[in-house]
Amino acid sequence: MRGLMLFLSFLFYQIGFYPALGTNVPPTLVTDLSKKIISINVNFSGSKFHIFGAVKRGFSQNASIDQPPFDIMIEVIGPPVSLDFFKKERLYGFWINKKIQSFNSIPSFYSISGTKPLEKIVEKKAKKENKIGLFEQIKASENLAIDDNILSKIALTGKSKTTYKQESKPIIFLENTLFSTEIDLPTDLVEGNYLVRIHLIRFKEVLATQEDIIFVKKVGLEQWINYLAHKNPAVYGLLAIFLAIGFGWAASIIFSRKAY
Amino acid sequence: MQIYLPIAEMSVNLFLLVGLGGIVGVLSGMFGVGGGFLMTPLLFFIGIPPAIAVASEANQILGASTSGAIAHFKRRTVDVKMGLLLVLGGVVGSAFGVELFGILKNLGQLELIIKICYVFFLGIIGLLMFVESIRALRDIKKNKKRLKKRHHSWMQGLPLKMRFRASNLYISSIPALVIGFFVGILAAIMGVGGGFIMVPAMIYILGMPTKVVVGTSLFQIIFVTGTTTFLHASKNFSVDIVLATLLLIGGVVGAQIGTRLGLRLQSEQLRILLAILVLSMCFKIALELFVAPQEIYLLLRRI
């Protein structure tokens, strides 16, 4: 946390004394993540990371205090997975799953947060143009037309509580310049690159977008087991068998000694 | 203390898993039941995906049955020839079950089928246990012993007859193969050893003497759960070694405690409690199937 504050004060310093260029340079973003890698180890139980940054203004915008405020929107998009989308329907008294859509490459995780309620920051058109929002991301990565009606139902699945967050924690935005937010990652993370997209918005127009990547990977025992289970399943199966027999055998030796 | 399960891809409390293994171990030691049909639903209740629960539980049963099988083998209370026939049927059944498991998983109907199977079997086992233990209690009071039926007449007509020395039988090998096959399917789809089906079937259908029944069924369970573990691991990637090992650690210790407790307590009376436990689990799973779900839409990973 102290490191983060130091970094932020350093940013403040840099921006405050930005050389006067005299030209109207459009504002851009300077951003960073508190972590670049998230490791899933034996006692992993979800994770968090911070996204922080600052708005870097062109000269002409620098001094004026009565500038209309900026807005920031931050998206985190997990690596693609294949998912089937089901609707539960009643059949002879049983609740059965009926497949309504197959996704071949849908983000495994999605989170979006903003400095204001999201619908007040951008409009549909800008969202579409800049591929902002879960539905736009799904459409972009699926590469096929999907009924909006089906997409809107994704928000109703249990997954939406942890995996597809339509409105995460709000972004803290100081002096119309510095911003930071915290992203919660659930325990059922898919390994791979998580794309972080930070949008600078004013008057519902996207002025700049900055992208960064956070890498999630299993490490140590978890990595080894997972690798073996998927790359060499026969060996893994035999290992599971020998481990179980070994434990059972060891137990029978230990306890039969105790009994006599 | 949380532990991350690498295949289930979720984080669970370590003591909860070892504790569950321990409790089921005590029950299985006390009543001489395998425990798979108790453990797998408990794993569903704590949120382990049914596919992972079933496959990992098959692996755990393998370990939990090892010491019992060794003990029976040493005491020569195993009919190896009959056991091998049951294994042959079981291995084929297991392969068939694992194949079916994969198909159902891809159709998104796996959970449903597993739960229907559990409601059906837990209901039957619970009711039978309940009736049996009440009858046993009455019999103790009246000091009567019930007779067991042996040798069905329709079985005498079946071909492929074989001699089973240890069981002192000369019967067709077809019923044993069929029983083994059926138990193999159950092992693959429900994550159970299948002793609760096999033991009565061996006594009432095959007419085997009770002294070799438990040993022979454990002999079959070892090979069939071993095969099931291997096939699930290589076809469905659904065996979680960490989950199985933690349950096993609790299970083997619990089973020892249970065996000692069982010798001291009147297990016939306690059997009613076990029957009630089984019936209430059946009821809870049935509720999930018949009561309107809170979430109508769901997303499932494809393999």
Side-chain angles (χ1 to χ4, degrees):
Chain A
M1 223 37 215
R2 239 187 76 195
L4 181 69
M5 292 314 290
L6 272 173
F7 179 83
L8 286 180
S9 56
F10 171 72
L11 270 181
F12 239 139
Y13 181 84
Q14 286 288 307
I15 293 152
F17 294 91
Y18 201 76
L21 294 172
T23 45
N24 196 352
V25 182
T28 52
L29 286 166
V30 182
T31 64
D32 206 358
L33 311 176
S34 63
K35 288 178 192 168
K36 294 285 181 194
I37 292 174
I38 289 190
S39 308
I40 299 178
N41 52 18
V42 176
N43 50 21
F44 179 79
S45 57
S47 188
K48 282 175 183 174
F49 69 99
H50 285 90
I51 299 165
F52 49 88
V55 182
K56 189 168 146 188
R57 293 179 180 85
F59 171 71
S60 65
Q61 294 152 316
N62 201 12
S64 53
I65 304 155
D66 43 32
Q67 281 277 347
F70 289 114
D71 276 308
I72 304 288
M73 249 178 157
I74 296 177
E75 294 177 284
V76 179
I77 303 144
V81 284
S82 308
L83 292 176
D84 286 330
F85 191 43
F86 294 96
K87 184 181 189 219
K88 291 197 170 181
E89 280 181 358
R90 203 165 190 152
L91 186 77
Y92 305 116
F94 291 102
W95 285 90
I96 63 150
N97 297 338
K98 196 183 156 212
K99 196 191 281 188
I100 49 178
Q101 180 77 48
S102 280
F103 297 106
N104 292 319
S105 159
I106 184 173
S108 56
F109 174 86
Y110 185 83
S111 147
I112 185 163
S113 44
T115 43
K116 271 195 262 171
L118 301 178
E119 67 275 16
K120 287 186 183 162
I121 301 179
V122 274
E123 267 156 359
K124 237 181 171 174
K125 194 177 143 259
K127 273 175 108 176
K128 206 162 206 160
E129 279 168 7
N130 296 283
K131 287 178 186 163
I132 298 174
L134 176 62
F135 301 162
E136 296 302 326
Q137 281 297 325
I138 292 174
K139 282 180 190 166
S141 70
E142 275 296 312
N143 225 346
L144 53 97
I146 293 158
D147 195 350
D148 278 2
N149 202 19
I150 289 177
L151 286 179
S152 65
K153 300 289 193 297
I154 287 179
L156 300 174
T157 62
K159 250 184 152 26
S160 60
K161 282 177 207 135
T162 54
T163 312
Y164 292 141
K165 277 181 283 192
Q166 304 279 348
E167 186 100 53
S168 301
K169 286 179 192 165
I171 296 170
I172 301 161
F173 200 23
L174 297 175
E175 301 284 328
N176 211 14
T177 304
L178 290 180
F179 59 88
S180 81
T181 193
E182 187 183 53
I183 304 287
D184 284 319
L185 296 172
T187 56
D188 56 343
L189 282 182
V190 173
E191 284 184 285
N193 284 329
Y194 285 64
L195 180 66
V196 179
R197 299 177 84 208
I198 302 138
H199 308 284
L200 178 67
I201 297 157
R202 177 187 271 168
F203 298 134
K204 304 196 172 181
E205 286 286 329
V206 180
L207 299 178
T209 295
Q210 182 82 24
E211 293 188 349
D212 209 337
I213 275 170
I214 184 160
F215 183 53
V216 173
K217 68 179 290 215
K218 290 178 179 165
V219 294
L221 186 67
E222 307 298 315
Q223 181 192 25
W224 184 78
I225 291 176
N226 201 54
Y227 182 82
L228 191 66
H230 287 97
K231 291 285 171 324
N232 220 333
V235 175
Y236 178 79
L238 289 176
L239 178 72
I241 292 173
F242 286 123
L243 210 59
I245 292 180
F247 263 101
W249 205 320
S252 82
I253 292 168
I254 292 167
F255 288 106
S256 66
R257 267 193 201 147
K258 259 189 190 169
Y260 301 108
Chain B
M1 202 179 112
Q2 296 294 111
I3 186 148
Y4 183 82
L5 304 174
I7 305 299
E9 295 191 321
M10 60 186 288
S11 143
V12 192
N13 190 304
L14 177 80
F15 302 109
L16 176 70
L17 287 184
V18 177
L20 274 184
I23 291 168
V24 174
V26 168
L27 290 174
S28 62
M30 235 157 92
F31 300 109
V33 293
F37 70 97
L38 295 175
M39 183 58 94
T40 315
L42 287 174
L43 292 179
F44 299 166
F45 298 158
I46 65 166
I48 310 277
I52 311 277
V54 165
S56 310
E57 186 49 23
N59 189 17
Q60 194 247 344
I61 294 167
L62 169 63
S65 310
T66 303
S67 64
I70 293 171
H72 278 279
F73 206 79
K74 279 185 187 158
R75 268 185 260 148
R76 294 177 183 281
T77 46
V78 177
D79 185 334
V80 177
K81 198 171 174 187
M82 181 68 85
L84 286 175
L85 276 182
L86 289 165
V87 168
L88 186 64
V91 168
V92 177
S94 165
F96 180 76
V98 169
E99 199 65 40
L100 195 63
F101 187 96
I103 294 169
L104 289 170
K105 191 173 179 185
N106 280 335
L107 288 175
Q109 308 301 339
L110 181 64
E111 261 194 71
L112 177 78
I113 302 295
I114 292 176
K115 284 181 176 168
I116 289 175
C117 287
Y118 265 100
V119 169
F120 181 73
F121 284 105
L122 287 178
I124 289 180
I125 298 162
L127 279 176
L128 284 179
M129 253 186 209
F130 195 74
V131 172
E132 186 83 358
S133 51
I134 283 177
R135 233 191 252 163
L137 279 179
R138 237 189 261 148
D139 286 354
I140 290 168
K141 276 177 196 155
K142 290 179 185 167
N143 211 4
K144 261 199 294 186
K145 249 202 159 174
R146 280 174 299 122
L147 287 167
K148 273 166 196 148
K149 248 195 270 173
R150 292 187 70 172
H151 294 282
H152 289 268
S153 53
W154 57 267
M155 260 188 53
Q156 307 295 348
L158 290 173
L160 293 172
K161 285 200 176 185
M162 274 179 147
R163 188 164 297 284
F164 299 95
R165 286 264 168 73
S167 303
N168 198 19
L169 285 172
Y170 180 67
I171 52 164
S172 162
S173 53
I174 293 170
L177 287 172
V178 173
I179 293 167
F181 178 76
F182 188 63
V183 168
I185 296 178
L186 291 189
I189 290 185
M190 295 175 70
V192 293
F196 62 91
I197 296 285
M198 219 174 351
V199 169
M202 285 157 115
I203 296 173
Y204 298 114
I205 299 175
L206 302 180
M208 284 168 71
T210 39
K211 73 168 173 61
V212 294
V213 161
V214 174
T216 310
S217 108
L218 283 172
F219 178 84
Q220 195 260 12
I221 287 171
I222 296 258
F223 285 97
V224 173
T225 52
T227 308
T228 307
T229 302
F230 183 80
L231 292 175
H232 269 313
S234 50
K235 269 211 71 113
N236 299 320
F237 310 109
S238 50
V239 177
D240 198 309
I241 249 181
V242 177
L243 175 63
T245 306
L246 290 176
L247 293 175
L248 197 53
I249 291 172
V252 289
V253 176
Q256 298 297 327
I257 298 169
T259 315
R260 283 163 179 71
L261 272 177
L263 294 174
R264 285 189 205 154
L265 300 170
Q266 266 210 301
S267 66
E268 288 303 338
Q269 279 160 8
L270 289 169
R271 198 171 273 269
I272 291 189
L273 292 180
L274 181 66
I276 292 169
L277 176 72
V278 168
L279 285 176
S280 50
M281 288 204 305
C282 165
F283 185 69
K284 186 170 185 326
I285 301 173
L287 271 187
E288 288 169 23
L289 288 179
F290 297 114
V291 173
Q294 282 183 320
E295 283 143 8
I296 293 199
Y297 295 96
L298 77 158
L299 279 164
L300 294 174
R301 265 301 265 292
R302 221 179 311 141
I303 27 170

